[in-house]
């Protein structure tokens, strides 16, 4: 009986101590807003939390203008024109397809429709009906179905499987309409993960993408999910896939950052070891991503994705100055990992940004010393 009481006391003690340990891991103490010791991100020109755009990882003004127009007027034509003028093999087309599909899916979630209400996302249905041979509408429709499956149903259920099978057929239709376009096959990577394609079937699909866009970062990230431990691979297989992609990355390619994404996908759910983020595997992956960012084109559409993930790891590693150097490039848009995995991406990003500012100033930094 005495042992039981001791165990209960230790459990209660851990409940009190754990939050303290978690706060101390950041290396700084949290203070109330307005406190003289409080660091103010606004001093660095950063936007207020409520002004952060959660739709995109970085600016794509043409896309955002068209999205606003389509959602305001429910007329798809501007979206059709934008995709028709977007390079087929590039990263930007994939991002724009995702954005249009996501907008339609969120509209439908917010306005499911009823007896007297038009359901949200009606513009996509009209686009698909009026332009059945439009490769852009076919790709957006396929991605819309994939997002609906993940958003509205549970993997393994009949409902999920039915929607994913419909998405699989839609991917096939989109591929026929644009033979050299990797996007329909990239969309199918998510279908493959959801429907648990056997590995030979998945690899056959992957080869179709490599034939069309061998250095496509978005495709590699989608494929990485399949190989992760929580889906159909393992930590070792995922790391091997990411490291192989980095090794064959051409000059200036962000594929050199793939190992960092593999590390992120396999982070422990609970970590009380402060040195974890200074470990060799994390440090090596961070250095690879920093190298990739330095070598990449400033207009690479995937650059913001890598910078956002670097912010997460650099803050966790207490590398405040380097985290600030990434923040000045991405602040304003937060539609990227890891923030999009939370219920409130803007709030989560703002917490890490505040930690970076506080850590930077605690080590002698100021707005005057931060290069832009």
């Amino acid at each position: 009986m005495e042992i039981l009481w001791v165990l209960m006391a230790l459990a209660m003690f851990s409940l009190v101590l754990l939050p303290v340990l978690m706060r101390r891991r950041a290396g700084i103490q949290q203070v109330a807003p307005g406190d003289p010791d409080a660091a103010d991100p606004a001093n660095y020109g950063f936007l207020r939390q409520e002004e952060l755009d959660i739709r995109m990882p970085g600016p794509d003004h043409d896309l955002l203008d068209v999205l606003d127009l389509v959602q305001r007027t429910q007329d798809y034509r501007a979206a059709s024109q934008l995709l028709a003028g977007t390079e087929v093999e590039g990263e930007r087309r994939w991002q724009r397809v995702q954005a249009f599909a996501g907008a339609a899916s969120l509209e439908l979630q917010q306005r499911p429709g009823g007896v007297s209400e038009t359901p949200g996302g009606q513009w996509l249905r009209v686009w698909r009906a009026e332009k059945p041979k439009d490769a852009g509408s076919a790709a957006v429709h396929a991605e819309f179905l994939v997002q609906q499956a993940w958003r509205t149903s549970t993997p393994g259920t009949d409902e999920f499987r039915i929607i994913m099978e419909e998405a699989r057929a839609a991917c096939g239709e989109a591929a026929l309409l644009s033979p050299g376009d990797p996007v329909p096959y990239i969309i199918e990577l998510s279908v493959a993960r959801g429907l648990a394609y056997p590995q030979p079937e998945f690899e056959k699909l992957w080869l179709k993408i490599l034939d069309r866009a061998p250095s496509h970062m978005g495709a590699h990230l989608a494929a990485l999910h399949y190989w992760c431990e929580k889906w159909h691979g393992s930590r070792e297989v995922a790391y091997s896939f990411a490291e192989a992609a980095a090794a064959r990355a051409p000059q200036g390619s962000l594929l050199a950052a793939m190992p960092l994404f593999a590390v992120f996908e396999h982070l422990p759910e609970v970590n009380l070891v402060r040195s974890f983020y200074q470990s060799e595997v994390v440090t090596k992956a961070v250095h690879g991503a920093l190298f990739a960012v330095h070598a990449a084109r400033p207009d690479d559409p995937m650059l913001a994705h890598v910078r956002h993930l670097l912010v997460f790891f650099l803050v966790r590693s207490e590398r405040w100055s380097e985290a600030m150097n990434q923040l000045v490039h991405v602040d304003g848009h937060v539609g990227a990992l890891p923030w999009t995995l939370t219920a409130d991406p803007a709030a989560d990003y703002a917490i890490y940004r505040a930690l970076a500012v506080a850590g930077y100033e605690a080590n002698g930094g100021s707005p005057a010393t931060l290069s832009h």
Side-chain angles (χ1 to χ4, degrees), residues 9 26 31 37 40 54 79 86 97 179 187 191 194 221 242 247 255 319 341 350:
V31 297
D37 293 327
D40 187 357
I54 65 173
T86 304
V97 166
I187 297 170
V191 176
L221 291 176
L255 287 177
R319 295 166 64 167
L341 297 179

Side-chain angles (χ1 to χ4, degrees), residues 53-72 78 82 92 96 99-100 103 332-333:
D53 192 324
I54 65 173
R55 295 174 295 179
M56 296 290 294
D60 183 344
H61 300 299
D62 290 340
L63 171 62
L64 294 179
D65 289 345
V66 168
L67 264 177
D68 290 340
L69 177 63
V70 168
Q71 293 188 302
R72 186 174 67 252
L82 182 65
R92 199 172 297 281
R96 288 174 172 177
F100 285 129
H333 297 81

Side-chain angles (χ1 to χ4, degrees), residues 311-312 315-316 327 339 347-357:
V311 169
F312 172 87
V315 168
R316 290 292 187 98
L327 283 167
W339 330 120
D348 202 49
Y349 167 84
I351 289 172
Y352 275 77
R353 185 179 65 183
L355 288 170
V357 171

